[in-house]
Amino acid sequence: NPTVLKNESWKFPSGFFWGVASAAYQIEGAAQAEGRGPSVWDVFTHRSTSITVNNDTGDVGCNEYYMYKQDIARIAALGVPYYSFSISWSRVFPYGKGPVNELALQHYDDLIETCLQYGVKPVVTLFHWDLPLFLQNEYGGWLSEEIVGDFVAYAKVVFGRYGNKVSHWFTMNEPIVFCDEYPYPKNYFSAVTIAEADQKYFCGHHVLLAHAEAYRLGKSLGLNGTIAFKNNGGYKIPLTNSTDDALAVQRAWDFNEGWFANPVYLNGDYPKYLKDYVSTLGLEFTADQKALINGTADLFAHDAYTSSFYMAPDGGVAACLANSSNSLYPGCFNTTNVNPDGWNIGPAADIYTPWLNQATDWVPLFLRYIQDTWPSAGGIAVSEFGWAEPFEHLKTTKVDILYDPGRMMYYKNYMEAILIAISEGVNVVGCLAWAIMDNLEWADGYLPKFGVQYVNLTTFERSYKASFFTYIDAFKVYAEDPVVPVYV
Ligand code: PNW
């Protein structure tokens, strides 16, 4: 029985917010509908040398743009209380800025009203990677500080329109991912004069300023929902107890989570090891900018899928730092999923998703690390977690597809891990399972399956997978609040 946990007195406290998540480009489709402008992802998926698996695109996606009423009804019928989705910037502003597209705003009006009608609280992300193409072409997108004003103008329209109907706002999804790959998707947009390896740090700098300005705007408008951004990354376990591995682990935190978390949660500034490097690029915040950025999140939202071992590069950290042509420079840390005895850190996910292992044993330590390192009065939300079932993309019969024991195990163990963390005093306030349904997994196309629902990409019929019930059962058994199915 997947819902029997270790200690039945453990509880998700009253008010714990939980649900399922999606992102606009991955599910909406309707790429040409109702005045939507192109985003960088439309170009990427349509280029002649497309890098997406099978030349897959988001043109039609899961057809969610036309099926959202059914999608909301389907989750409400299981008692899911929160739905996290993103708004497409290039629907609202087809050119990224300038004229507002009223049809797009009406679409999201109805999406949000439908949620509320079904008792499902909307959780909204403003930017989940689908940058309006016009802004990339005009000034290099996130590489230019010009984007700060355009992002805030977009935030102003969305905040103004949907205001207090949204319980939790996220400004950005995973800047580590989209800046790391900048210009995301990589190797397409010829960019400016900044060395390719350094572009991500310029992106990150402008993300922090844009996030902070949007947060301050939201507060000045008196929004009653929380505002934060979605950070991401796995737990980092030293491969050995050597001092060089310990140093490499700290460098890895600084170059990943700390890149965005230190400025927002600690002091408005970059963490030490990252700062050493980015200051050589002239990326330093003024005193006013530090004051602007510091404290601009109401909770710590982390997309916390997995864990990995981290270690010093071959030859050691110091030698790597002395050699800027080392492939691991400037981070100078390395990572592996296999420990020195040859054991994998946990079962591997789909072969298209090599960064993901089922390593839920570390989740309580991970959540404690976040709480101790970047304290947030609003607690921690696991804003995404999920599993790409091995070989699920090869299944052909519906019976096989809907039985997903790997994902059932992942959610069962993960929910147990959150309960352990809560029982040990970590303030975990919510979690959002990725994803509401199988969808476009970016450059990997529709092959990896992260959904708790299957989507037939020909008929667009949706079907619940077994793991969806495992996830919900955790709340039926262990939540102080009842799970209430809603039918309208
Ligand atoms: C997230 N990693 O991306 C994104 O927010 C989703 O859009 C995506 O579909 C989902 O996870 C599954 O991939 C990540 O390398 C990409 O650790 C990479 C990593 C984590 C999350």
Side-chain angles (χ1 to χ4, degrees):
N1 179 339
T3 64
V4 173
L5 305 187
K6 280 179 190 156
N7 184 334
E8 305 220 348
S9 70
W10 291 340
K11 289 284 180 241
F12 296 106
S14 181
F16 189 89
F17 83 89
W18 65 274
V20 291
S22 71
Y25 189 67
Q26 295 181 271
I27 64 165
E28 281 183 347
Q32 310 265 343
E34 298 190 333
R36 177 182 178 275
S39 81
V40 293
W41 270 92
D42 295 84
V43 178
F44 182 69
T45 56
H46 281 276
R47 60 189 294 199
S48 56
T49 53
S50 176
I51 290 174
T52 54
V53 171
N54 295 334
N55 296 336
D56 285 339
T57 76
D59 290 4
V60 179
C62 302
N63 209 26
E64 185 272 350
Y65 195 78
Y66 300 110
M67 293 178 71
Y68 59 94
K69 285 181 199 278
Q70 178 189 127
D71 286 328
I72 293 160
R74 290 182 62 82
I75 64 173
L78 299 189
V80 174
Y82 288 82
Y83 177 39
S84 175
F85 58 90
S86 79
I87 288 180
S88 159
W89 183 348
S90 71
R91 286 192 193 279
V92 176
F93 285 95
Y95 299 94
K97 58 182 173 178
V100 174
N101 175 16
E102 175 62 22
L103 286 175
L105 291 173
Q106 286 172 13
H107 171 80
Y108 293 112
D109 278 338
D110 198 48
L111 174 59
I112 289 169
E113 288 303 331
T114 305
C115 284
L116 297 175
Q117 192 189 2
Y118 278 86
V120 174
K121 296 192 180 68
V123 175
V124 175
T125 298
L126 295 178
F127 180 69
H128 197 125
W129 306 355
D130 44 357
L131 181 72
L133 178 63
F134 189 85
L135 303 184
Q136 181 65 43
N137 286 338
E138 192 188 33
Y139 51 69
W142 291 105
L143 297 182
S144 166
E145 193 168 343
E146 251 190 277
I147 199 158
V148 176
D150 290 336
F151 181 76
V152 174
Y154 162 55
K156 189 172 183 181
V157 167
V158 175
F159 286 160
R161 184 80 167 212
Y162 310 118
N164 288 336
K165 294 176 178 172
V166 172
S167 70
H168 299 77
W169 295 96
F170 298 127
T171 55
M172 312 275 175
N173 182 70
E174 302 185 349
I176 296 168
V177 176
F178 76 80
C179 288
D180 250 351
E181 292 286 309
Y182 215 84
Y184 201 76
K186 216 176 181 72
N187 299 328
Y188 184 74
F189 302 96
S190 60
V192 216
T193 50
I194 304 164
E196 185 168 313
D198 290 332
Q199 289 176 11
K200 61 182 174 186
Y201 303 111
F202 287 82
C203 170
H205 206 69
H206 304 134
V207 162
L208 281 161
L209 292 170
H211 160 78
E213 296 257 15
Y215 177 92
R216 302 280 176 206
L217 172 70
K219 293 295 148 181
S220 75
L221 294 173
L223 296 183
N224 60 15
T226 62
I227 310 175
F229 71 99
K230 290 166 73 187
N231 213 346
N232 77 282
Y235 189 54
K236 299 173 207 336
I237 304 152
L239 184 67
T240 74
N241 59 12
S242 74
T243 51
D244 220 27
D245 282 356
L247 173 61
V249 168
Q250 186 55 50
R251 295 189 66 84
W253 289 116
D254 281 12
F255 274 76
N256 286 282
E257 286 82 343
W259 181 5
F260 298 96
N262 280 48
V264 169
Y265 296 94
L266 293 186
N267 56 11
D269 205 359
Y270 291 121
K272 177 182 180 337
Y273 295 123
L274 180 77
K275 188 178 161 81
D276 287 347
Y277 183 70
V278 297
S279 60
T280 68
L281 305 174
L283 295 175
E284 287 173 310
F285 292 120
T286 65
D288 283 352
Q289 288 173 326
K290 287 179 194 169
L292 171 79
I293 295 166
N294 189 16
T296 53
D298 299 325
L299 52 82
F300 196 106
H302 204 72
D303 296 357
Y305 285 77
T306 193
S307 305
S308 297
F309 298 112
Y310 281 73
M311 72 278 200
D314 288 344
V317 171
C320 170
L321 286 171
N323 174 11
S324 63
S325 58
N326 187 306
S327 63
L328 297 173
Y329 182 87
C332 290
F333 57 85
N334 210 345
T335 180
T336 178
N337 290 327
V338 181
N339 82 3
D341 298 329
W343 288 89
N344 207 296
I345 193 165
D350 188 282
I351 53 164
Y352 294 95
T353 312
W355 53 268
L356 180 56
N357 290 77
Q358 196 153 148
T360 48
D361 286 354
W362 278 277
V363 167
L365 286 172
F366 191 3
L367 296 170
R368 171 164 298 285
Y369 183 87
I370 290 171
Q371 175 164 293
D372 291 349
T373 311
W374 303 287
S376 175
I380 301 167
V382 178
S383 40
E384 280 183 29
F385 65 126
W387 182 245
E389 186 90 2
F391 308 114
E392 193 168 356
H393 63 285
L394 298 177
K395 293 181 176 181
T396 50
T397 74
K398 202 161 155 184
V399 169
D400 285 345
I401 289 168
L402 302 186
Y403 177 61
D404 53 345
R407 188 177 293 103
M408 291 164 78
M409 189 64 81
Y410 179 88
Y411 280 117
K412 186 254 182 199
N413 287 339
Y414 206 117
M415 300 319 296
E416 181 176 297
I418 292 176
L419 286 167
I420 292 171
I422 292 172
S423 77
E424 293 175 349
V426 182
N427 186 21
V428 188
V429 297
C431 64
L432 297 164
W434 182 273
I436 182 175
M437 65 186 92
D438 292 338
N439 61 69
L440 180 76
E441 182 53 26
W442 304 110
D444 294 326
Y446 293 93
L447 277 190
K449 309 290 186 187
F450 273 91
V452 290
Q453 297 184 80
Y454 163 68
V455 178
N456 178 319
L457 289 172
T458 307
T459 64
F460 301 108
E461 180 193 36
R462 281 83 158 120
S463 306
Y464 300 129
K465 297 182 194 173
S467 60
F468 204 165
F469 300 103
T470 305
Y471 179 52
I472 288 168
D473 279 354
F475 300 100
K476 288 191 177 162
V477 176
Y478 295 99
E480 279 173 7
D481 296 336
V483 175
V484 185
V486 176
Y487 307 94
V488 171

